[in-house]
Amino acid sequence: MCTALAKSGTAGSRPRLLEWSLTSTMTGPTAATLRPELLMNLPGTRSPVCLPATAANIAAAAACLRQGGVVGFPTETVYGLGAAATNIEAVQRVFAIKGRPPEHPLIVHLASRDWLADWARTIPDSAVLLAEHFWPGPLTLVLPRQPHVPDAVTGGQASVALRVPAHPVALQLLEAAGALVAPSANRFGRISPTTAEHVQDELGDALDMLLDGGPCEIGVESTVISLLGDAPALLRPGGISVAQLEAVLGRPLAAAPQGVRAPGRLPAHYAPATPLEVLPSAQLAQRATALAHAGQRVSLLVFAASDAGMPTMPGVHREIMPGDAISYARILYATLRRLDAQGFAALLVEATPDNPAWLAISDRLARAAFGTLPT
Ligand code: TXA
Ligand code: MG
């Protein structure tokens, strides 16, 4: 859990939590935990940015969002950086906070698939089918946009990405605040956050509020599917597997079309600061020993079976990773963040099984490794 009081400094010109708190109904234990002196956002005092996701705090966050605030909140995949999808100024603040280039489009999050027609101009049968099966859940559908969808959201494209998340806090927030853009709540190109503490550490000072709903269940981002072409196409592997999608669609997914701007598809996305290498099991011990002999502190991320077969290697940290894809995904980003903070010269990751169930993980690891190999 993140600490409830981590932000310091002045309120600036933006509306702040004190106002949201006062306009929301605060009753019971939640109100009792927010001591009035801690809500005072005076110069030099600390203001409560990160709060437990109670009903009262969700209502306060929704009020904040309706007035143009930017709020971090949990989804079942990763934490999102939320802003009202119809408020161009708030959307632009999301880009500024992330350091994300403006032409990269955002996902619009909806409370229900009943909202789809408000955002998508046409809804093919495949969209209805996928939404019925996988929403609420970790699937994003790219569809032709309604004319009112701001260019600031779509990066000027004629399409819009839409998803109904499965996390109860996200759904309550969307119900109360309306549609929200929500990129992962990390700086552009860095590891997505899977706890409120990650968000607090990376962006805390820039947010109006952060709802702590505990660690994310899935741990990697949603699967992104384009429904713009003749056949549904995979733009980003994620929380719903290709096999699950193909089973429901009754046909194979097409390859990603050319010319789609999707930052999750940039080779160097999802990178820790520490150089990361993905290596076949047979090469791990040798590479680790070579680096350790050269005086470098390294960490392995290995499966238990490989760890058991390895010799003792002084100076080499061994992080045992889960053998099933679902558990591995859940802890991957938190593990990378923790190891990234420990000053290793390199992270050596055992290649994951060559099996479709591991696609989202091998995709993120390949991106994390891109261009960061130690010399
Ligand atoms: O799990 C998730 O999807 C998380 C949580 C917070 O919901 N959000 C997330 O957002 O990962 P972001 O902005 O980090 O990634 C959005 C992905 C990117 O790969 C983006 O390029 C793609 O969706 N995308 C958005 N709009 C698109 C569009 N119109 N056409 C193609 N791809 C689009
Ligand atoms: Mg992201």
Side-chain angles (χ1 to χ4, degrees), residues 98-131:
K98 275 185 72 81
R100 178 160 165 149
E103 68 274 16
H104 290 288
L106 302 175
I107 298 172
V108 177
H109 293 63
L110 311 175
S112 150
R113 61 175 191 262
D114 297 344
W115 294 12
L116 194 51
D118 296 339
W119 294 86
R121 187 168 41 80
T122 50
I123 304 171
D125 291 347
S126 54
V128 176
L129 195 62
L130 292 174

mmCIF file of all heavy atoms in Angstrom, residues 98-131:
data_model
loop_
_atom_site.group_PDB
_atom_site.id
_atom_site.type_symbol
_atom_site.label_atom_id
_atom_site.label_comp_id
_atom_site.label_asym_id
_atom_site.label_seq_id
_atom_site.Cartn_x
_atom_site.Cartn_y
_atom_site.Cartn_z
ATOM 1 N N LYS A 98 2.891 12.238 -18.559
ATOM 2 C CA LYS A 98 3.596 11.036 -19.007
ATOM 3 C C LYS A 98 4.836 11.338 -19.851
ATOM 4 O O LYS A 98 5.702 10.490 -19.999
ATOM 5 C CB LYS A 98 2.671 10.174 -19.878
ATOM 6 C CG LYS A 98 1.778 9.240 -19.112
ATOM 7 C CD LYS A 98 0.994 8.352 -20.056
ATOM 8 C CE LYS A 98 1.812 7.282 -20.750
ATOM 9 N NZ LYS A 98 2.066 6.093 -19.980
ATOM 10 N N GLY A 99 4.872 12.544 -20.436
ATOM 11 C CA GLY A 99 5.944 12.833 -21.391
ATOM 12 C C GLY A 99 5.706 12.054 -22.677
ATOM 13 O O GLY A 99 6.638 11.612 -23.342
ATOM 14 N N ARG A 100 4.417 11.857 -23.001
ATOM 15 C CA ARG A 100 4.061 11.044 -24.178
ATOM 16 C C ARG A 100 3.875 11.947 -25.389
ATOM 17 O O ARG A 100 3.176 12.959 -25.307
ATOM 18 C CB ARG A 100 2.764 10.318 -23.864
ATOM 19 C CG ARG A 100 2.177 9.452 -24.970
ATOM 20 C CD ARG A 100 1.236 8.489 -24.304
ATOM 21 N NE ARG A 100 0.336 7.814 -25.171
ATOM 22 C CZ ARG A 100 -0.105 6.571 -24.909
ATOM 23 N NH1 ARG A 100 0.311 5.945 -23.831
ATOM 24 N NH2 ARG A 100 -0.951 5.991 -25.699
ATOM 25 N N PRO A 101 4.452 11.593 -26.537
ATOM 26 C CA PRO A 101 4.261 12.417 -27.734
ATOM 27 C C PRO A 101 2.777 12.499 -28.076
ATOM 28 O O PRO A 101 2.068 11.491 -27.984
ATOM 29 C CB PRO A 101 5.030 11.650 -28.818
ATOM 30 C CG PRO A 101 5.950 10.740 -28.081
ATOM 31 C CD PRO A 101 5.296 10.422 -26.781
ATOM 32 N N PRO A 102 2.289 13.683 -28.478
ATOM 33 C CA PRO A 102 0.844 13.893 -28.635
ATOM 34 C C PRO A 102 0.198 13.059 -29.727
ATOM 35 O O PRO A 102 -1.005 12.862 -29.718
ATOM 36 C CB PRO A 102 0.737 15.387 -28.961
ATOM 37 C CG PRO A 102 2.096 15.814 -29.357
ATOM 38 C CD PRO A 102 3.070 14.895 -28.720
ATOM 39 N N GLU A 103 0.986 12.550 -30.677
ATOM 40 C CA GLU A 103 0.347 11.800 -31.773
ATOM 41 C C GLU A 103 0.042 10.349 -31.380
ATOM 42 O O GLU A 103 -0.545 9.612 -32.159
ATOM 43 C CB GLU A 103 1.207 11.852 -33.045
ATOM 44 C CG GLU A 103 2.521 11.122 -32.975
ATOM 45 C CD GLU A 103 3.649 11.961 -32.378
ATOM 46 O OE1 GLU A 103 3.340 13.003 -31.737
ATOM 47 O OE2 GLU A 103 4.816 11.573 -32.511
ATOM 48 N N HIS A 104 0.442 9.937 -30.171
ATOM 49 C CA HIS A 104 0.163 8.556 -29.760
ATOM 50 C C HIS A 104 -1.192 8.472 -29.066
ATOM 51 O O HIS A 104 -1.403 9.093 -28.037
ATOM 52 C CB HIS A 104 1.264 8.044 -28.829
ATOM 53 C CG HIS A 104 2.563 7.815 -29.534
ATOM 54 N ND1 HIS A 104 2.749 6.765 -30.404
ATOM 55 C CD2 HIS A 104 3.715 8.511 -29.523
ATOM 56 C CE1 HIS A 104 3.978 6.829 -30.898
ATOM 57 N NE2 HIS A 104 4.588 7.870 -30.391
ATOM 58 N N PRO A 105 -2.109 7.683 -29.615
ATOM 59 C CA PRO A 105 -3.492 7.691 -29.118
ATOM 60 C C PRO A 105 -3.671 7.004 -27.766
ATOM 61 O O PRO A 105 -2.872 6.156 -27.372
ATOM 62 C CB PRO A 105 -4.235 6.915 -30.208
ATOM 63 C CG PRO A 105 -3.213 6.027 -30.839
ATOM 64 C CD PRO A 105 -1.911 6.765 -30.751
ATOM 65 N N LEU A 106 -4.742 7.402 -27.081
ATOM 66 C CA LEU A 106 -5.069 6.857 -25.758
ATOM 67 C C LEU A 106 -6.282 5.934 -25.857
ATOM 68 O O LEU A 106 -7.089 6.061 -26.778
ATOM 69 C CB LEU A 106 -5.420 7.996 -24.794
ATOM 70 C CG LEU A 106 -4.355 9.069 -24.570
ATOM 71 C CD1 LEU A 106 -4.929 10.167 -23.686
ATOM 72 C CD2 LEU A 106 -3.114 8.463 -23.939
ATOM 73 N N ILE A 107 -6.428 5.069 -24.870
ATOM 74 C CA ILE A 107 -7.622 4.217 -24.779
ATOM 75 C C ILE A 107 -8.699 4.974 -24.007
ATOM 76 O O ILE A 107 -8.427 5.536 -22.940
ATOM 77 C CB ILE A 107 -7.294 2.894 -24.042
ATOM 78 C CG1 ILE A 107 -6.245 2.082 -24.807
ATOM 79 C CG2 ILE A 107 -8.576 2.073 -23.833
ATOM 80 C CD1 ILE A 107 -5.711 0.865 -24.057
ATOM 81 N N VAL A 108 -9.919 4.977 -24.538
ATOM 82 C CA VAL A 108 -11.059 5.521 -23.796
ATOM 83 C C VAL A 108 -11.695 4.367 -23.022
ATOM 84 O O VAL A 108 -12.055 3.339 -23.604
ATOM 85 C CB VAL A 108 -12.086 6.165 -24.749
ATOM 86 C CG1 VAL A 108 -13.305 6.649 -23.960
ATOM 87 C CG2 VAL A 108 -11.447 7.332 -25.509
ATOM 88 N N HIS A 109 -11.788 4.541 -21.694
ATOM 89 C CA HIS A 109 -12.361 3.513 -20.825
ATOM 90 C C HIS A 109 -13.843 3.819 -20.586
ATOM 91 O O HIS A 109 -14.196 4.975 -20.306
ATOM 92 C CB HIS A 109 -11.593 3.465 -19.498
ATOM 93 C CG HIS A 109 -10.178 2.977 -19.665
ATOM 94 N ND1 HIS A 109 -9.248 3.649 -20.413
ATOM 95 C CD2 HIS A 109 -9.549 1.887 -19.183
ATOM 96 C CE1 HIS A 109 -8.103 2.975 -20.394
ATOM 97 N NE2 HIS A 109 -8.247 1.898 -19.648
ATOM 98 N N LEU A 110 -14.657 2.793 -20.690
ATOM 99 C CA LEU A 110 -16.110 2.933 -20.557
ATOM 100 C C LEU A 110 -16.600 2.089 -19.378
ATOM 101 O O LEU A 110 -15.997 1.064 -19.053
ATOM 102 C CB LEU A 110 -16.791 2.449 -21.834
ATOM 103 C CG LEU A 110 -16.238 2.993 -23.164
ATOM 104 C CD1 LEU A 110 -16.937 2.315 -24.346
ATOM 105 C CD2 LEU A 110 -16.399 4.514 -23.232
ATOM 106 N N ALA A 111 -17.737 2.498 -18.785
ATOM 107 C CA ALA A 111 -18.286 1.741 -17.658
ATOM 108 C C ALA A 111 -19.064 0.516 -18.124
ATOM 109 O O ALA A 111 -19.243 -0.428 -17.359
ATOM 110 C CB ALA A 111 -19.208 2.634 -16.824
ATOM 111 N N SER A 112 -19.510 0.549 -19.381
ATOM 112 C CA SER A 112 -20.370 -0.537 -19.851
ATOM 113 C C SER A 112 -20.303 -0.602 -21.369
ATOM 114 O O SER A 112 -20.040 0.408 -22.029
ATOM 115 C CB SER A 112 -21.806 -0.228 -19.402
ATOM 116 O OG SER A 112 -22.736 -0.760 -20.305
ATOM 117 N N ARG A 113 -20.561 -1.795 -21.907
ATOM 118 C CA ARG A 113 -20.534 -1.874 -23.378
ATOM 119 C C ARG A 113 -21.714 -1.128 -23.987
ATOM 120 O O ARG A 113 -21.722 -0.834 -25.182
ATOM 121 C CB ARG A 113 -20.425 -3.309 -23.867
ATOM 122 C CG ARG A 113 -21.535 -4.233 -23.496
ATOM 123 C CD ARG A 113 -21.299 -5.588 -24.184
ATOM 124 N NE ARG A 113 -22.457 -6.435 -24.061
ATOM 125 C CZ ARG A 113 -22.593 -7.385 -23.140
ATOM 126 N NH1 ARG A 113 -21.627 -7.622 -22.279
ATOM 127 N NH2 ARG A 113 -23.684 -8.119 -23.088
ATOM 128 N N ASP A 114 -22.697 -0.769 -23.163
ATOM 129 C CA ASP A 114 -23.800 0.068 -23.661
ATOM 130 C C ASP A 114 -23.306 1.445 -24.110
ATOM 131 O O ASP A 114 -24.011 2.166 -24.811
ATOM 132 C CB ASP A 114 -24.869 0.271 -22.576
ATOM 133 C CG ASP A 114 -25.516 -1.043 -22.182
ATOM 134 O OD1 ASP A 114 -25.369 -2.019 -22.946
ATOM 135 O OD2 ASP A 114 -26.136 -1.095 -21.107
ATOM 136 N N TRP A 115 -22.135 1.845 -23.644
ATOM 137 C CA TRP A 115 -21.597 3.158 -24.024
ATOM 138 C C TRP A 115 -20.862 3.136 -25.374
ATOM 139 O O TRP A 115 -20.431 4.177 -25.879
ATOM 140 C CB TRP A 115 -20.605 3.670 -22.965
ATOM 141 C CG TRP A 115 -21.183 3.978 -21.626
ATOM 142 C CD1 TRP A 115 -22.429 3.654 -21.166
ATOM 143 C CD2 TRP A 115 -20.537 4.672 -20.542
ATOM 144 N NE1 TRP A 115 -22.585 4.093 -19.872
ATOM 145 C CE2 TRP A 115 -21.449 4.720 -19.462
ATOM 146 C CE3 TRP A 115 -19.278 5.257 -20.370
ATOM 147 C CZ2 TRP A 115 -21.146 5.332 -18.234
ATOM 148 C CZ3 TRP A 115 -18.962 5.858 -19.154
ATOM 149 C CH2 TRP A 115 -19.899 5.890 -18.104
ATOM 150 N N LEU A 116 -20.685 1.924 -25.919
ATOM 151 C CA LEU A 116 -19.856 1.758 -27.124
ATOM 152 C C LEU A 116 -20.309 2.675 -28.267
ATOM 153 O O LEU A 116 -19.496 3.340 -28.916
ATOM 154 C CB LEU A 116 -19.945 0.281 -27.545
ATOM 155 C CG LEU A 116 -18.976 -0.293 -28.546
ATOM 156 C CD1 LEU A 116 -17.540 0.018 -28.177
ATOM 157 C CD2 LEU A 116 -19.171 -1.800 -28.640
ATOM 158 N N ALA A 117 -21.624 2.714 -28.500
ATOM 159 C CA ALA A 117 -22.145 3.474 -29.648
ATOM 160 C C ALA A 117 -21.922 4.982 -29.489
ATOM 161 O O ALA A 117 -21.943 5.719 -30.477
ATOM 162 C CB ALA A 117 -23.626 3.174 -29.843
ATOM 163 N N ASP A 118 -21.706 5.439 -28.258
ATOM 164 C CA ASP A 118 -21.412 6.868 -28.063
ATOM 165 C C ASP A 118 -20.033 7.232 -28.617
ATOM 166 O O ASP A 118 -19.747 8.405 -28.853
ATOM 167 C CB ASP A 118 -21.417 7.226 -26.571
ATOM 168 C CG ASP A 118 -22.783 7.033 -25.951
ATOM 169 O OD1 ASP A 118 -23.766 7.011 -26.699
ATOM 170 O OD2 ASP A 118 -22.848 6.891 -24.715
ATOM 171 N N TRP A 119 -19.150 6.215 -28.741
ATOM 172 C CA TRP A 119 -17.757 6.486 -29.094
ATOM 173 C C TRP A 119 -17.364 5.913 -30.448
ATOM 174 O O TRP A 119 -16.519 6.478 -31.126
ATOM 175 C CB TRP A 119 -16.834 5.944 -27.983
ATOM 176 C CG TRP A 119 -17.059 6.705 -26.725
ATOM 177 C CD1 TRP A 119 -18.012 6.446 -25.760
ATOM 178 C CD2 TRP A 119 -16.402 7.904 -26.331
ATOM 179 N NE1 TRP A 119 -17.960 7.409 -24.788
ATOM 180 C CE2 TRP A 119 -16.977 8.318 -25.099
ATOM 181 C CE3 TRP A 119 -15.367 8.670 -26.890
ATOM 182 C CZ2 TRP A 119 -16.556 9.470 -24.438
ATOM 183 C CZ3 TRP A 119 -14.943 9.804 -26.218
ATOM 184 C CH2 TRP A 119 -15.539 10.193 -25.014
ATOM 185 N N ALA A 120 -17.992 4.769 -30.828
ATOM 186 C CA ALA A 120 -17.645 4.121 -32.098
ATOM 187 C C ALA A 120 -18.743 4.414 -33.117
ATOM 188 O O ALA A 120 -19.923 4.239 -32.826
ATOM 189 C CB ALA A 120 -17.505 2.619 -31.895
ATOM 190 N N ARG A 121 -18.319 4.837 -34.315
ATOM 191 C CA ARG A 121 -19.284 5.213 -35.357
ATOM 192 C C ARG A 121 -19.961 3.974 -35.945
ATOM 193 O O ARG A 121 -21.157 3.975 -36.190
ATOM 194 C CB ARG A 121 -18.545 6.008 -36.446
ATOM 195 C CG ARG A 121 -19.419 6.621 -37.506
ATOM 196 C CD ARG A 121 -18.642 7.626 -38.356
ATOM 197 N NE ARG A 121 -17.285 7.192 -38.698
ATOM 198 C CZ ARG A 121 -16.987 6.341 -39.666
ATOM 199 N NH1 ARG A 121 -17.923 5.803 -40.408
ATOM 200 N NH2 ARG A 121 -15.713 6.018 -39.914
ATOM 201 N N THR A 122 -19.152 2.927 -36.161
ATOM 202 C CA THR A 122 -19.740 1.663 -36.623
ATOM 203 C C THR A 122 -19.259 0.554 -35.692
ATOM 204 O O THR A 122 -18.132 0.597 -35.185
ATOM 205 C CB THR A 122 -19.302 1.320 -38.064
ATOM 206 O OG1 THR A 122 -17.881 1.431 -38.128
ATOM 207 C CG2 THR A 122 -19.923 2.256 -39.066
ATOM 208 N N ILE A 123 -20.141 -0.417 -35.475
ATOM 209 C CA ILE A 123 -19.814 -1.509 -34.558
ATOM 210 C C ILE A 123 -20.026 -2.830 -35.296
ATOM 211 O O ILE A 123 -21.151 -3.318 -35.410
ATOM 212 C CB ILE A 123 -20.694 -1.435 -33.285
ATOM 213 C CG1 ILE A 123 -20.528 -0.058 -32.635
ATOM 214 C CG2 ILE A 123 -20.331 -2.545 -32.307
ATOM 215 C CD1 ILE A 123 -21.491 0.212 -31.510
ATOM 216 N N PRO A 124 -18.951 -3.404 -35.824
ATOM 217 C CA PRO A 124 -19.109 -4.661 -36.567
ATOM 218 C C PRO A 124 -19.532 -5.805 -35.634
ATOM 219 O O PRO A 124 -19.359 -5.709 -34.411
ATOM 220 C CB PRO A 124 -17.714 -4.906 -37.150
ATOM 221 C CG PRO A 124 -16.787 -4.076 -36.340
ATOM 222 C CD PRO A 124 -17.570 -2.929 -35.791
ATOM 223 N N ASP A 125 -20.049 -6.873 -36.225
ATOM 224 C CA ASP A 125 -20.477 -8.032 -35.429
ATOM 225 C C ASP A 125 -19.338 -8.556 -34.562
ATOM 226 O O ASP A 125 -19.558 -9.007 -33.432
ATOM 227 C CB ASP A 125 -20.945 -9.160 -36.359
ATOM 228 C CG ASP A 125 -22.255 -8.787 -37.057
ATOM 229 O OD1 ASP A 125 -22.894 -7.797 -36.625
ATOM 230 O OD2 ASP A 125 -22.606 -9.475 -38.036
ATOM 231 N N SER A 126 -18.118 -8.509 -35.117
ATOM 232 C CA SER A 126 -16.975 -9.024 -34.341
ATOM 233 C C SER A 126 -16.790 -8.223 -33.049
ATOM 234 O O SER A 126 -16.437 -8.781 -32.006
ATOM 235 C CB SER A 126 -15.695 -8.982 -35.184
ATOM 236 O OG SER A 126 -15.497 -7.669 -35.675
ATOM 237 N N ALA A 127 -17.076 -6.917 -33.097
ATOM 238 C CA ALA A 127 -16.942 -6.089 -31.885
ATOM 239 C C ALA A 127 -17.988 -6.482 -30.849
ATOM 240 O O ALA A 127 -17.687 -6.593 -29.651
ATOM 241 C CB ALA A 127 -17.080 -4.602 -32.239
ATOM 242 N N VAL A 128 -19.203 -6.717 -31.329
ATOM 243 C CA VAL A 128 -20.283 -7.129 -30.410
ATOM 244 C C VAL A 128 -19.908 -8.449 -29.747
ATOM 245 O O VAL A 128 -20.001 -8.618 -28.527
ATOM 246 C CB VAL A 128 -21.619 -7.264 -31.180
ATOM 247 C CG1 VAL A 128 -22.727 -7.790 -30.271
ATOM 248 C CG2 VAL A 128 -22.012 -5.929 -31.799
ATOM 249 N N LEU A 129 -19.431 -9.381 -30.556
ATOM 250 C CA LEU A 129 -19.052 -10.709 -30.067
ATOM 251 C C LEU A 129 -17.945 -10.609 -29.013
ATOM 252 O O LEU A 129 -18.038 -11.180 -27.908
ATOM 253 C CB LEU A 129 -18.567 -11.523 -31.272
ATOM 254 C CG LEU A 129 -18.438 -13.023 -31.151
ATOM 255 C CD1 LEU A 129 -19.797 -13.634 -30.858
ATOM 256 C CD2 LEU A 129 -17.883 -13.582 -32.486
ATOM 257 N N LEU A 130 -16.902 -9.863 -29.345
ATOM 258 C CA LEU A 130 -15.764 -9.753 -28.416
ATOM 259 C C LEU A 130 -16.162 -9.013 -27.145
ATOM 260 O O LEU A 130 -15.763 -9.404 -26.041
ATOM 261 C CB LEU A 130 -14.585 -9.049 -29.109
ATOM 262 C CG LEU A 130 -13.930 -9.850 -30.244
ATOM 263 C CD1 LEU A 130 -12.872 -9.010 -30.963
ATOM 264 C CD2 LEU A 130 -13.292 -11.137 -29.717
ATOM 265 N N ALA A 131 -16.962 -7.957 -27.302
ATOM 266 C CA ALA A 131 -17.392 -7.200 -26.117
ATOM 267 C C ALA A 131 -18.251 -8.077 -25.205
ATOM 268 O O ALA A 131 -18.087 -8.066 -23.981
ATOM 269 C CB ALA A 131 -18.156 -5.953 -26.546
#
